[in-house]
C-alpha cells in the first residue's frame, strides 16, 4: 500500500537539504551521524529536483524498512524539497495518458484538424510536473509526440532546470488560449477556475491537489454542500480521475491516513 512508502523516511531535523533516499535506509541514530549526512549530501535544490524526478512506486516499496516508522518525517522531507506532492512514475504516466486522450477528443470534435496540441499548466512553479508529464508523453507516444506541455507561473524561475514561462494564470490563458488547463496545488484561499470557465475556448481543466488545502473548498470544488456548485452553474461537470489519484502521495499523507491528494477533471457541457 501507499502507506508502506512512508515508512522509509525518518527524522531529518538539522539537515537543510534533500538527501538520497538510499541514505535513509541506514537510520542515523546520533546527532553526529545526522551532521555527517548533511555534509555528505549538501547539494543544491536544482540537483535534488533532477534526482527525484519520477521515482517509481515499486522502487520505493522495495526500500521499505520495518525499523523505520516515523511518518511525520515524510512531510518534513517534502518540505525540504519544496514539494506539496511527491510524484511517482505511475501517477505521472496515468496523468500523461489522460491528457493525451483528452487532446485527441478535442481534436476530433474540431474536425480532426490537429488544432489542439498543447496543455497549459498554470501555477506550475519551476516546471517540474510539466517536465515529467512531457517525458511520459514521449514514452507513451514516442519522441515525436504531438502533445506538448506548456508550463507557466507568476514567479520568474530563472535558473530552474525545467522550462517554464513567467506568466500569471490569466496572462497565460490570454496568450495561449488553451482548450485544456492543468493546475497542481492551486494556492490555498485563491480561486482561479471561475476565470477559466468564463473563457469560451477553455473546454476542460484538471486540478491536482488536496481539496482542503488548495483553492477554496466551495468555490473551487463545490464542497460543503452549499447548493448547486458554481462550476455546474457555469455549465461544467466534475469527474474524479481515480486512475491518477490511486497512485498519488502528498506531504500530508501518513501510513494511517493517505490518499489525501486527488485529481479532478472539470469539463464543459
Amino acid at each position: 500500500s501507499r502507506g508502506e512508502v512512508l515508512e522509509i523516511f525518518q527524522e531529518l531535523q538539522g539537515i537543510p537539504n534533500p538527501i538520497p533516499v538510499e541514505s535513509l535506509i541506514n537510520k542515523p541514530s546520533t546527532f553526529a551521524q545526522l551532521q555527517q549526512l548533511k555534509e555528505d549530501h549538501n547539494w543544491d535544490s536544482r540537483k535534488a529536483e533532477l534526482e527525484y524526478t519520477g521515482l517509481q512506486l515499486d522502487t520505493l516499496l522495495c526500500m521499505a524498512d520495518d525499523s523505520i516508522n516515523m511518518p511525520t518525517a515524510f512531510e518534513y522531507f517534502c518540505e525540504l524539497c519544496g514539494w506539496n506532492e511527491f510524484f511517482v512514475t505511475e501517477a505521472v504516466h496515468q496523468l500523461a495518458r489522460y491528457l493525451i486522450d483528452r487532446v485527441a477528443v478535442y481534436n476530433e470534435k474540431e474536425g480532426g484538424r490537429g488544432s489542439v496540441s498543447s496543455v497549459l499548466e498554470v501555477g506550475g512553479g519551476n516546471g517540474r510536473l510539466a517536465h515529467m508529464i512531457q517525458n511520459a508523453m514521449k514514452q507513451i507516444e514516442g519522441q515525436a509526440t504531438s502533445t506538448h506541455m506548456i508550463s507557466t507561473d507568476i514567479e520568474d524561475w530563472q535558473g530552474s532546470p525545467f522550462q517554464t514561462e513567467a506568466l500569471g494564470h490569466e496572462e497565460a490563458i490570454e496568450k495561449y488560449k488553451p482548450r485544456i488547463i492543468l493546475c497542481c496545488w492551486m494556492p490555498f484561499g485563491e480561486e482561479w477556475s471561475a476565470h477559466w470557465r468564463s473563457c469560451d475556448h477553455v473546454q476542460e481543466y484538471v486540478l491536482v491537489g488536496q481539496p482542503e488545502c488548495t483553492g477554496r473548498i466551495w468555490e473551487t470544488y463545490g464542497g460543503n454542500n452549499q447548493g448547486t456548485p458554481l462550476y455546474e452553474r457555469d455549465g461544467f461537470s466534475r469527474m474524479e480521475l481515480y486512475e491518477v489519484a490511486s497512485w498519488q502521495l502528498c506531504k500530508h499523507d501518513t501510513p494511517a491516513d493517505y490518499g489525501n491528494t486527488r485529481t479532478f477533471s472539470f469539463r464543459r457541457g
Side-chain angles (χ1 to χ4, degrees), residues 9-268:
F9 299 97
Q10 71 242 255
E11 195 57 58
L12 300 177
Q13 299 297 333
I15 301 180
N17 296 309
I19 62 175
V21 174
E22 291 85 349
S23 298
L24 305 182
I25 297 303
N26 297 316
K27 182 179 178 181
S29 58
T30 68
F31 181 77
Q33 289 175 315
L34 286 171
Q35 288 294 98
Q36 187 61 52
L37 277 178
K38 173 183 174 181
E39 294 174 7
D40 290 345
H41 305 293
N42 192 23
W43 55 16
D44 62 43
S45 59
R46 287 179 296 174
K47 181 178 178 183
E49 292 279 7
L50 293 170
E51 291 287 336
Y52 284 101
T53 294
L55 289 175
Q56 286 190 326
L57 185 59
D58 58 358
T59 300
L60 293 175
L61 288 173
C62 289
M63 297 166 65
D65 186 332
D66 291 337
S67 67
I68 300 173
N69 187 17
M70 294 187 180
T72 57
F74 179 68
E75 181 171 2
Y76 186 75
F77 175 83
C78 290
E79 291 287 353
L80 287 176
C81 298
W83 302 340
N84 291 312
E85 187 103 6
F86 188 94
F87 289 108
V88 294
T89 302
E90 291 87 346
V92 173
H93 273 250
Q94 289 293 341
L95 183 53
R97 190 175 298 279
Y98 175 82
L99 294 173
I100 289 171
D101 291 344
R102 297 306 295 166
V103 165
V105 166
Y106 294 119
N107 272 324
E108 184 175 351
K109 286 183 177 180
E110 298 188 11
R113 299 189 300 272
S115 57
V116 182
S117 62
S118 61
V119 176
L120 176 67
E121 183 187 23
V122 297
N126 70 352
R128 183 170 69 100
L129 176 57
H131 172 84
M132 291 193 290
I133 293 174
Q134 190 68 72
N135 283 344
M137 288 174 168
K138 291 178 181 179
Q139 293 177 30
I140 294 168
E141 291 194 307
Q143 289 296 316
T145 178
S146 60
T147 311
H148 301 284
M149 295 297 302
I150 301 171
S151 179
T152 63
D153 190 84
I154 196 169
E155 299 290 339
D156 187 355
W157 289 84
Q158 289 188 357
S160 169
F162 314 113
Q163 185 173 352
T164 187
E165 188 173 355
L167 291 171
H169 72 101
E170 294 185 6
E171 296 175 288
I173 291 169
E174 176 62 26
K175 177 177 180 178
Y176 289 103
K177 294 181 169 49
R179 303 294 191 279
I180 306 174
I181 297 170
L182 172 67
C183 182
C184 181
W185 286 73
M186 183 187 297
F188 179 66
E190 298 187 26
E191 209 304 288
W192 299 351
S193 62
H195 174 74
W196 308 340
R197 295 192 298 271
S198 72
C199 301
D200 292 340
H201 54 81
V202 174
Q203 299 300 306
E204 179 174 355
Y205 57 93
V206 177
L207 298 181
V208 179
Q210 187 172 353
E212 298 82 5
C213 301
T214 58
R216 298 176 185 168
I217 191 67
W218 162 243
E219 292 90 338
T220 307
Y221 294 96
N224 290 343
N225 298 318
Q226 297 185 36
T228 303
L230 301 183
Y231 60 81
E232 285 190 13
R233 299 179 196 178
D234 291 338
F236 280 70
S237 60
R238 188 185 81 171
M239 180 180 71
E240 184 162 5
L241 304 184
Y242 294 105
E243 66 273 23
V244 179
S246 63
W247 295 105
Q248 287 180 258
L249 283 168
C250 81
K251 65 181 182 180
H252 297 139
D253 287 343
T254 70
D257 178 24
Y258 51 86
N260 292 296
T261 182
R262 300 155 71 184
T263 298
F264 294 94
S265 164
F266 296 78
R267 301 179 187 175
R268 188 184 297 275

